[in-house]
Every structure is written in structure tokens, then in C-alpha cells.
Amino acid sequence: MTASLVRVPFLDLAAVHAELRPALAVAALRVLDSERVLLGPELTAFEQRWAAVTGAAEAVGVGSGLDALALGLRALGVGPGDEVVVPSHTFVATWLAVVQVGAVPVPVDVEEATGAWDPARVAAAVGPQTRALLPVHLYGHPVDLDPLLALAGERGLAVLDDAAQAHGARYRGRPVGGLAHATAWSFYPGKNLGALGDGGAVTTDDPGVAARLRSLRNYGSTVKYVHDEIGVNSRLDELQAAFLSVKLAHLDEHNARRARLARRYAEGLAGTGLALPVVAPWAEPVWHLYVVRTPHRDALRAHLTDAGVEVLVHYPVPPHRQPAFAGTPLAAAHLPAADRLAAEVLSLPMGPHLRDDQQDRVVEAIRAFRP
């Protein structure tokens, strides 16, 4: 890469914060001037707004997306000895949450073209110890939830969907977040709706689940110094809640910018030989990531890096290949689609502040690539 070549960032967070800087500064000062920094009015206001956006009755803010998954499972009654069906191709947090609550992940391989679950495979994986299904709205594209919810109803299972990448996505005209028994969210800074630090939430229509979540996130307590169960310290703080309220007001606009960029990628990369994202007719994805596939992934990645284009791989090591699961039955799982995806997927620059000229450079660099 020549010294004069300007880098195309994968995600320009500085530009996001520059656009919203005045409102973010006001929010920060409001918290500084308040009497509460935890479990106060900023959190309550954000929870109410987020529940309304997702179409859920309630939202409960927690400390991270992983906590949202683990506490969501606990609130739905999943615990030691239970089995939870999980997708083979996902960020490892989906599996880690299951292990954290003492349950066992049961992986089901995905469809290579879409990364989605085949409901028939999911049904075949359900056994006598299965307590829940944990589908993932991968890369911002909704899962086909209706067959999974029907299966759950037939087998008496809970459904916790992982929406860490799907803020604002819609499924059959309905917002993701109020469709399953509970939905887990991450507000990691790089998400479509990201805090300026870690954060997460669980949305649900079940008041009992919401009440248990509020206890679990606060040391198992709803009355100070009275602890009804073994809880944790996982509270979305007032400052992050205030920042998220500011960003939430811009979520639809920023998602629309991402959708426009996805259309431009689809047009510009047609005929390149790359496998491009597939959008189901019933889905309105939010393009958290724009992921292409090629058997020449590593060579293309090196070529783009040399051209000043920052790209990432989501995810280079599938969960069953992680050292954390070495020596367990999970390490021996036969998941060929997950293995192939890990070797072929490449995430291109995507974000609400990616300029047309920057995106054109990405497309031109890909078109110039010769494997």
C-alpha cells in the first residue's frame, strides 16, 4: 500500500459520533448533573423507548449482549442439565451463554447460501432434554421465526432469539424483538444501535420474565439488601442509556443508509463471481454486515488490505473449533457448512457514514482482483 493511499475504514465510528456529538454531549451532562448513575430515569426512559420500537411489552437493560443471552435463558427457566439448540455459524457468545447457565449447546448446521436454519434439522435435534431454541438473526437478516415458534409450541420449548445484529430489522412486516418468548440484544459500540461502551437488553411480552430479569441483573434483588436468588451485577448504566436514547432517534435513518449501500454493493459486485448476500422475500434486514463468500477469501482479503480497504472475517473460527471447547463432545461435532463458511466469508466495509466514493473504491478493488 502506498503512503498516499487513503484507507477505507470498515466502520467509521468517529463519523457517527461527530454527527451526534452535540446531542451526546447534552446527554452526558444531563447524567453528570443528576443524582442517579444506575437504575435511574435515563434507563427507564430508554427501556420504554426500546420496547416500543421492537414491539415488545417490556425491555430490561443489562450490562452486555452476552449477559442478555445468559440472563434471558435463566429468566426462561433454562438451567443445568438442559439442552439448548444453537446454530453452527454464529459469534461464540451464543454458545457461551448456554454454557454459562449450566446447559448444553446442541449445534445445528446452517444453510451455506443464507446462514439460516433449516427447521427440519432443528426439529431433528430436539430431544428429551431440550429446553429452548436459540436462533440468531445473523448479520442483520431476520431468522424465519414462525416455523421455530410452531415447533416450540408443539414441543413445549422456550425461544430466545439472538438479535445482537438486528436492531430495527423486520420479519414479515413485524419488528424483531417482540416475536419470541424473549429477545437478547447487544449494544456493543459497532452495532447498528451501539453505546459508547458495553451494554445489552432483553425484550419480552412476558411480565414474569421481565420481572425475573430485573431481579437477576441486580444481585437477585428487587428490594434493597433482600436477595431472593443468586443474581449477578449486570446493569445498563445511566450514561450508556442516555447515549442510546440519542442514537435510537437516528436508527431508522442510519439503517436506511446501510440498505442503500447494500443495494449499491449488489449492483457493483454483480458478475464478480462472489457469492452475495441473499435476502428472503419476507425479510427487511438492517445490514449490520455485508458478507460475501469466495473460496479465494484469504487472497482477496490480502488484495483489499493492500488497496487500503479494511475488511474483517465474521467468523474465522466456528464455535465448535474454538479452544474453549477442546476436549468436549462439541469439538467433535460434524458441521461442514460452518467450517466452509469460516473459510470463505468476508465482511466488506459497511456503516451509515461510508461515502459513495469509498464504496466505489471497494468495488473497483474487488473487480481488479485476479485469484
Side-chain angles (χ1 to χ4, degrees):
M1 185 174 69
T2 63
S4 61
L5 193 59
V6 177
R7 184 178 67 95
V8 178
F10 180 76
L11 173 65
D12 194 346
L13 275 180
V16 175
H17 297 153
E19 177 188 349
L20 305 179
R21 184 182 182 91
L24 291 171
V26 169
L29 290 173
R30 189 171 63 244
V31 175
L32 282 174
D33 292 338
S34 73
E35 296 180 357
R36 297 292 295 272
V37 293
L38 290 169
L39 301 179
E42 297 289 347
L43 176 59
T44 298
F46 173 70
E47 288 177 335
Q48 292 173 346
R49 290 168 184 152
W50 187 233
V53 166
T54 61
E58 299 196 54
V60 180
V62 296
S64 70
L66 176 56
D67 284 353
L69 289 164
L71 296 179
L73 288 170
R74 287 187 62 185
L76 290 169
V78 178
D82 292 331
E83 293 181 348
V84 178
V85 182
V86 297
S88 62
H89 181 65
T90 181
F91 183 53
V92 71
T94 310
W95 289 34
L96 292 179
V98 177
V99 176
Q100 278 193 5
V101 304
V104 178
V106 177
V108 171
D109 218 1
V110 297
E111 299 295 324
E112 282 189 55
T114 62
W117 260 353
D118 177 351
R121 289 183 184 174
V122 176
V126 173
Q129 302 303 314
T130 305
R131 181 68 183 83
L133 309 179
L134 212 174
V136 177
H137 303 287
L138 190 67
Y139 303 151
H141 188 292
V143 172
D144 192 3
L145 277 174
D146 284 352
L148 300 176
L149 291 169
L151 172 65
E154 294 168 3
R155 306 288 184 90
L157 307 175
V159 178
L160 172 71
D161 52 334
D162 182 342
Q165 302 179 353
H167 310 77
R170 299 181 71 85
Y171 169 72
R172 301 189 187 277
R174 299 167 291 171
V176 168
L179 305 176
H181 299 116
T183 301
W185 303 90
S186 168
F187 301 127
Y188 178 78
K191 304 297 186 181
N192 292 41
L193 180 63
L196 274 72
D198 272 322
V202 180
T203 50
T204 182
D205 284 341
D206 188 325
V209 169
R212 186 153 188 234
L213 284 163
R214 291 193 171 94
S215 171
L216 286 170
R217 73 177 177 184
N218 190 39
Y219 301 99
S221 172
T222 54
V223 177
K224 193 169 185 177
Y225 299 131
V226 177
H227 302 273
D228 301 307
E229 59 182 322
I230 304 298
V232 298
N233 176 6
S234 181
R235 300 171 295 201
L236 182 65
D237 66 66
E238 289 288 278
L239 186 61
Q240 299 305 331
F243 288 153
L244 286 166
S245 288
V246 170
K247 289 191 168 187
L248 181 54
H250 299 268
L251 178 62
D252 287 345
E253 177 192 353
H254 285 185
N255 282 344
R257 294 184 200 175
R258 290 173 177 268
R260 175 180 171 275
L261 290 168
R263 291 192 294 270
R264 293 188 86 243
Y265 268 139
E267 294 167 1
L269 297 176
T272 59
L274 297 178
L276 303 182
V278 176
V279 178
W282 38 259
E284 295 177 44
V286 290
W287 301 103
H288 172 61
L289 298 172
Y290 192 90
V291 180
V292 299
R293 288 175 47 226
T294 171
H296 310 291
R297 191 271 307 285
D298 292 340
L300 177 58
R301 183 182 190 184
H303 168 79
L304 291 172
T305 299
D306 287 344
V309 175
E310 185 180 11
V311 292
L312 296 176
V313 176
H314 296 87
Y315 300 95
V317 181
H320 69 292
R321 302 291 186 192
Q322 294 289 347
F325 295 116
T328 74
L330 292 169
H334 180 62
L335 303 167
D339 285 328
R340 281 192 291 270
L341 287 169
E344 295 185 355
V345 294
L346 187 68
S347 300
L348 304 183
M350 170 58 77
H353 295 81
L354 182 67
R355 302 191 311 268
D356 286 0
D357 65 301
Q358 292 175 318
Q359 186 180 32
D360 291 342
R361 279 187 51 204
V362 178
V363 172
E364 290 166 6
I366 292 174
R367 287 198 163 278
F369 173 65
R370 298 293 180 267

